[in-house]
Amino acid sequence: MNYKLIRDLIFPPRCAVCDELLCLGKGLVCQKCRPKIRYIQEPRCFKCGKEVSDVEEEYCFDCQRKKRSYIQGFPCMAYLPPVSDAVVRMKYHNRPEYAEFYGGEIARIFKDEFKKRAIEALIPVPLHIKRFQKRGYNQALLLAKEIEKLTKIPVKTDILYRSSDTLAQKKLSNDERENNLKDAFSAVRTNEDLNTVLIVDDIYTTGATIEACSLALKKIGIENIYYTSVCIGNVV
């Protein structure tokens, strides 16, 4: 029995960018939206993966000023409309199904990069239990599961935890974001001897969330930390 077909007949799929109804079997994004997606291009910052304006520029302005505890980032798209609007819908307005497209695009574009770096586990940025209960899902976990399907890198949800329910980052200034996330995450060492992991999130803006997660993972001895996200902000 084709459960996906039955599901699509009952709940017709919507474009993961504009949210318009799609014809069955026509993919996850409509034809008019495909050209509107702004993928991150070279040259990129050697640290966060953001686009930089000159091939001679190794690091973006933010990464020149701030210490990063992760090794390198792999953001997929620019945080610009219409994708930025779609990611907000996925995160806050009950569109978890969008993760199939966005997680799939991360895997399609960066699969070889992840293999080259011998990533051992995917670690989604966790939600605090109160926020999870309110939203009903963790979009970062859904993205990670889609990446797992296409890369065969296992998702691990028993290592990194949200230890405090912080304010929403979107409401805060850059400095407030960093202070807001101090000690917000904790990590525990499992029986597996992991040393190279990939943090998965939806949006990278100032990097405060990824930095806080990286520091927590470093405390339990995980040395090689990378991250990936659907979008990154402040693209040139």
Side-chain angles (χ1 to χ4, degrees), residues 9-227:
L9 287 171
I10 298 173
F11 303 104
R14 292 180 175 273
C15 172
V17 176
C18 70
D19 204 47
E20 294 295 322
L21 289 174
L22 291 169
C23 296
L24 293 182
K26 294 296 183 180
L28 302 172
V29 170
C30 68
Q31 290 184 344
K32 70 176 183 178
C33 284
R34 264 288 180 186
K36 298 178 183 178
I37 299 174
R38 169 85 183 281
Y39 291 91
I40 301 299
Q41 303 294 323
E42 297 290 349
R44 294 169 174 253
C45 171
F46 287 178
K47 181 59 73 170
C48 72
K50 183 186 301 179
E51 284 183 16
V52 292
S53 56
D54 193 312
V55 70
E56 300 292 328
E57 191 178 353
E58 294 185 352
Y59 299 102
C60 70
F61 179 72
D62 285 341
C63 289
Q64 290 175 31
R65 295 185 306 119
K66 296 180 181 179
K67 176 179 170 55
R68 308 295 194 191
S69 298
Y70 61 84
I71 295 174
Q72 191 177 12
F74 299 95
C76 187
M77 304 170 187
Y79 190 60
L80 296 170
V83 168
S84 56
D85 299 328
V87 172
V88 168
R89 282 198 302 275
M90 177 177 70
K91 188 170 186 174
Y92 296 112
H93 301 292
N94 199 31
R95 284 289 184 265
E97 65 271 22
Y98 287 5
E100 182 178 357
F101 171 70
Y102 293 108
E105 288 297 274
I106 289 172
R108 179 180 68 82
I109 292 170
F110 296 120
K111 183 177 181 179
D112 290 342
E113 297 287 351
F114 299 159
K115 184 177 181 181
K116 187 188 303 182
R117 287 157 181 79
I119 302 296
E120 299 169 295
L122 305 173
I123 300 184
V125 172
L127 282 181
H128 190 271
I129 186 62
K130 289 181 180 178
R131 198 163 296 181
F132 180 84
Q133 289 172 340
K134 181 178 180 180
R135 191 175 301 170
Y137 58 91
N138 176 0
Q139 71 285 346
L141 174 57
L142 298 180
L143 291 165
K145 286 181 175 179
E146 294 300 326
I147 298 169
E148 179 185 46
K149 288 179 187 177
L150 298 172
T151 65
K152 308 307 179 186
I153 302 170
V155 175
K156 300 294 181 183
T157 58
D158 59 349
I159 297 173
L160 187 64
Y161 295 90
R162 191 94 179 210
S163 46
S164 61
D165 187 17
T166 55
L167 295 171
Q169 290 287 88
K170 65 178 182 176
K171 299 177 181 179
L172 306 175
S173 69
N174 289 0
D175 290 339
E176 288 172 336
R177 287 177 186 224
E178 292 186 11
N179 291 327
N180 184 47
L181 290 174
K182 281 183 178 177
D183 303 317
F185 299 95
S186 58
V188 296
R189 173 60 80 175
T190 63
N191 292 330
E192 296 179 86
D193 188 23
L194 295 175
N195 197 48
T196 304
V197 302
L198 181 75
I199 300 171
V200 180
D201 205 3
D202 52 356
I203 305 166
Y204 182 106
T205 48
T206 65
T209 299
I210 299 299
E211 179 64 15
C213 291
S214 298
L215 288 172
L217 294 170
K218 288 266 188 181
K219 286 180 180 178
I220 62 167
I222 296 178
E223 291 297 326
N224 303 317
I225 301 169
Y226 299 86
Y227 92 85

